[in-house]
Amino acid sequence: MSARDRILAKLKATAPESAGDLPDVGGWYADHRTQESTADKAKRFRHFIELAHAEVYSVSRGGWLQKLYEVLSAKQIDKLLVAPGTVHGARAQSDLPPLGIACPGYDTPIENWKPAMFNDTPAGFTAARGAIAETGTLILWPNADEPRLMSLVPPVHIVLLDAANIYNTFHEAMQTEGWQDGLPTNSLLISGPSKTADIQQTLAYGAHGPKELVVLMIEENV
Amino acid sequence: MHSRSAYPTDVYFFATCVVDQFFPGAGMDAITLLERQGIRVHFPEEQTCCGQPAYTSGFPDEARKVAALQLSLFPNDWPVVVPSGSCAGMMKHHYPTLFADDPARKAAAEKLSARVYELTQFLVDVLNFKPEDCGSDCTVVLHTSCSARREMGVHVTGRKLIGDLAKVKLAQQDHESECCGFGGTFSVKQPEISAAMVEDKVKALKATGAERVVSADCGCLMNILGHAAWKDQQEGRKTPSLPGEHIATFLLRRTAKENTQ
Amino acid sequence: MNAPQTPHALHFMPSAGFRARAKDVVENPFLRQSFRGAMDFLMSKRAAQFPDPEELESLRRLGERIRQYNLAKLPDLLVQLESNLTRNGIQVHWAETPEEANAIILGICQKHSAKLMVKGKSMVSEEIELNHAAEAAGIGALESDMGEYIVQLAHEKPSHIIMPAIHKTKEQIAKLFHENVPGVDYTDNVDALIQIGRNVLRQKFLEADIGLSGVNFAVAETGTLCLVENEGNGRMCTTAPPVHIAITGIEKIVEKLEHVPPLLSLLTRSATGQNISTYFNMISSPRKPGEKDGPGEVHLVLLDNGRSQAYADEQLRKTLQCIRCGACMNHCPVYTRIGGHAYGTTYPGPIGKIISPHMLGLEATANMATASSLCGACGEVCPVKIPIPELLIRLREESFTAPHANPTMRGQGAGHNARISAIWRAWSAIYASPALYRAASWLASRFRWLTPRRQAGWTSVRTPLQPAPKRLRDLIKERP
Ligand code: SF4
């Protein structure tokens, strides 16, 4: 018998007869969490992610690029890693270089340029799939166009978020979008810049991931 | 369950072995306090110990034998009042599990469980007792045992009784809800850790400046007062730096009309 | 500041010597104060996350229910998880013992001729002492969680499951970095120290052949591994190197994805008082064709190591509900006094006391269960309502009862002592008999002056116990 079979046999021999009904997770959320308007969700999202040290800027649907440029200028960043296969990435790649910001695209497997990613990429720009108001959390589903390391390795991560895609809770997000029917290679919740309190409980930012997290939040009435 | 509407005429008093042998005065005061509320207090002579020491030490068979005796001592459907949160907790919460394999005793244990009360809980929740303060101004600090707090959930009742005393100020100690380090055989099996805990507890109680510590559990009192007295001896103090007493004794004295203290 | 060194650099030292180690810490006012401060900090952060006791209680009940439901279905869920992970391209391995788990992991490393493995925080990898095994096989195993990195540099073990270096001051860490990291000047500025760690480890993420991680929840229905962290090193370990190996205990499994949000919320709020961690990382497959990063291979090692023993008993099974939040440690008056190293086991504190006997046997952990006053603070805060005090009582029983046939636990009876058992039998005989009790208590009060002045353990810091001159029953009789 293999280790697998022995473990399973032991467990099967002693498992309880019945597990009872499925836990009523939906019921708990219905009883304990309210549904808020888009504006209130945006407010709550902003409150919590700012508490976690992220910067949030409200932008109009047409104005995000201008704000992106301002943020980069203010931080004196002249190079931004973008995803050329995405609408926002392509837009940044066409509009920012004339303003003095280089926009290399993540268009080749990491093996071809790993040292440059780690040592020479000051900022990355991605979109968020959505967000969660309750905890001030961004939802990212990296993919072939916008790969995983973009939101992790560069010291500054700038994220474009449409406030219309903010959910009340994590539970609502996964239920509404049917995540149980299929998840991508990697899905992420990000709730601030990287941090640690491992030295004498003193909070420090930029442990291993981005030191700064900037959210450009598209809102209708901006 | 006994509700407030049914004011009891008779109760059983389960003293606990610690009160019987080490704090008999507290037991008498508790009985007197109950009698003053117009209640007949019955003390079954055959009572010994709830069995907790053996039970928590990992000797359930030995505990079961002792518990079985107590189970037979309360034939009438009267409340059983216990001047200790941990012994009350043992009878209320652990007797039914202790007799899980003995249907007759299990049923008896469940019946008993429903009418076991810790003393302060009984005074407040059943008798709606509101002590009238006849003493003079003083500050005390209350230590609630872990079982009273977490198992019986009665930390509020001791606090309420003292709060009802007009001239008594209740001081607040640091880390109030933390264990004093008694834990029955724990204090003997792990003396170093237990010592560190009681040391911190006594420091916190003293730091309030209260003139005495009051508790509804004699186990904790033995530990806390024992350490305070030891410290006094070590440091050559003649008068106790932290006197203390059972809450029944304190309440009785405060509410005694003839008493002007 | 002149911070004393922690008393012991640990390897594996369960149980034996526990009292001596505890004593060392208890008698060190500096350590006493620093543990107290750290635990106060964590307790107040947790409390701030749960302002509404009703909501907390209902969420804990839900958490408990979710864990119990999933444990009840564990064998089926493991099979479901395996088949969905395999379908997704993640390779699943099973290990009954730490040795098997190490062999699997090192086998994968060797297949890839790996020289360097970077590790995200994984208590299970501590449990199997992977670092020793890797070192012996000539593979560098580098911890990348800041706390774990510090502890590894100091050749110690974590003293807390969430905050591994909680026993260290920044001055000690400053010295450690200065002496061990080439070209680093002494600084005790925390930001600067973190920056030093960041720079060293970035280079390693770039070079590493293997990334190793733990798992917080494994979701059976989707075949997904979930990781909770704040630093980003977990994401680095699971994204940057070409191979990712995850290791987890067999119990950390949920059937439904929707079981995750309540458990996640309980976990981060109970552990560090955060409403959510910075990162929640869900991994469902290796790199797919066309994707530009992520490991080409992902493995999951499922470890038993005594868990199936706990599983076999209805009461002990509750041990496996644990989501490793560490709240029981933060609220434990014993842990607060002695810190994590004194326990000598991978998992310290209340959770350590109830899980370690299944991993190491009662023979190696017999005394641990006695190191509790049963105050109940752990059970009160446990987000999944594990009745830790009840389990401690049960473990005392398993340890102290004379060895018998068909024991539920390895090492049953290891703490058995004929003399102690005889004392309890005598105690029981006296207290179960009204007549004997009357006689014994009468003698004790009558000859109270004979009570010894030295009472083992008790009188080291207390005045001796002495029975009152008259018992309550005597006073009652004497009433007018
Ligand atoms: S036993 Fe409970 S409190 Fe302790 S680590 Fe596990 S889940 Fe957290």
Side-chain angles (χ1 to χ4, degrees), chain B:
Chain B
M1 283 299 285
H2 295 261
S3 64
R4 268 164 211 222
S5 54
Y7 197 89
T9 55
D10 297 79
V11 301
Y12 288 114
F13 191 70
F14 183 77
T16 80
C17 57
V18 171
V19 166
D20 189 28
Q21 296 178 52
F22 294 91
F23 288 81
M28 281 313 290
D29 295 339
I31 291 173
T32 310
L33 203 55
L34 289 166
E35 287 175 342
R36 290 215 177 146
Q37 314 315 311
I39 289 170
R40 276 189 299 273
V41 179
H42 303 264
F43 180 86
E45 268 274 331
E46 318 251 271
Q47 62 177 268
T48 61
C49 164
C50 64
Q52 179 176 226
Y55 177 68
T56 55
S57 299
F59 293 87
D61 291 340
E62 284 72 9
R64 222 175 333 262
K65 287 192 188 102
V66 173
L69 167 65
Q70 322 309 319
L71 213 48
S72 68
L73 299 179
F74 312 102
N76 295 321
D77 188 29
W78 301 329
V80 178
V81 180
V82 187
S84 152
S86 69
C87 308
M90 174 74 191
M91 299 170 90
K92 194 169 184 68
H93 298 293
H94 299 294
Y95 274 17
T97 19
L98 201 52
F99 294 110
D101 297 331
D102 179 342
R105 286 216 174 91
K106 178 164 190 268
E110 274 162 1
K111 269 188 157 159
L112 176 66
S113 161
R115 54 196 172 97
V116 167
Y117 293 89
E118 185 271 338
L119 175 70
T120 65
Q121 175 194 27
F122 187 73
L123 289 170
V124 172
D125 289 350
V126 181
L127 302 186
N128 199 16
F129 172 58
K130 296 226 167 60
E132 193 189 323
D133 199 356
C134 304
S136 49
D137 289 335
C138 78
T139 303
V140 299
V141 58
L142 175 72
H143 172 75
T144 305
S145 74
C146 298
S147 332
R149 178 185 303 280
R150 306 201 174 92
E151 207 163 62
M152 296 294 287
V154 299
H155 50 289
V156 282
T157 48
R159 191 157 271 283
K160 166 148 194 330
L161 287 168
I162 293 182
D164 283 344
L165 296 166
K167 295 195 168 165
V168 176
K169 202 172 146 250
L170 186 59
Q172 173 76 48
Q173 68 274 42
D174 193 28
H175 290 94
E176 186 200 341
S177 63
E178 192 176 78
C179 176
C180 72
F182 176 55
T185 46
F186 169 71
S187 54
V188 179
K189 289 219 163 186
Q190 300 290 344
E192 295 82 12
I193 304 171
S194 172
M197 287 163 70
V198 71
E199 184 189 4
D200 289 348
K201 180 57 74 183
V202 166
K203 269 191 202 149
L205 291 169
K206 280 189 190 171
T208 63
E211 68 183 46
R212 69 183 63 233
V213 55
V214 173
S215 177
D217 259 87
C218 288
C220 308
L221 278 176
M222 254 170 12
N223 183 41
I224 290 170
L225 299 180
H227 176 68
W230 178 83
K231 197 94 188 148
D232 289 341
Q233 269 177 17
Q234 297 285 306
E235 292 167 7
R237 270 189 297 273
K238 292 279 176 292
T239 47
S241 54
L242 183 70
E245 63 199 359
H246 193 273
I247 192 166
T249 303
F250 181 67
L251 284 174
L252 190 67
R253 199 174 60 249
R254 295 298 301 193
T255 53
K257 293 268 171 356
E258 63 277 13
N259 197 328
T260 50
Q261 188 203 329

Side-chain angles (χ1 to χ4, degrees), chain C residues 161 322-328 351 382-384 386 388:
Chain C
I161 63 172
C322 177
I323 55 173
R324 302 283 191 275
C325 72
C328 55
I351 177 59
C382 175
V384 289
I386 301 176
I388 300 171

Side-chain angles (χ1 to χ4, degrees), chain C residues 8-25:
Chain C
H8 299 276
L10 271 254
H11 298 290
F12 234 19
M13 44 167 66
S15 205
F18 170 79
R19 262 184 73 183
R21 293 195 296 271
K23 187 163 180 275
D24 280 352
V25 185

Side-chain angles (χ1 to χ4, degrees), chain C residues 389-424:
Chain C
E390 270 173 39
L391 293 170
L392 288 170
I393 292 174
R394 169 70 187 277
L395 292 173
R396 290 176 183 184
E397 180 192 344
E398 294 287 341
S399 172
F400 300 145
T401 320
H404 52 72
N406 302 321
T408 335
M409 293 187 66
R410 177 151 72 94
Q412 185 274 321
H416 174 66
N417 173 316
R419 193 180 60 90
I420 303 276
S421 294
I423 291 175
W424 281 112

Side-chain angles (χ1 to χ4, degrees), chain A residues 6 21 144 194 200 209, chain C residues 65 96 170 198 231 235 292:
Chain A
R6 275 192 302 271
D21 295 336
S194 151
Q200 235 179 285
Chain C
R65 174 80 196 106
E96 284 187 283
K170 61 173 191 255
R198 175 183 172 102
E231 295 185 358
R235 287 183 62 199
K292 299 188 186 75

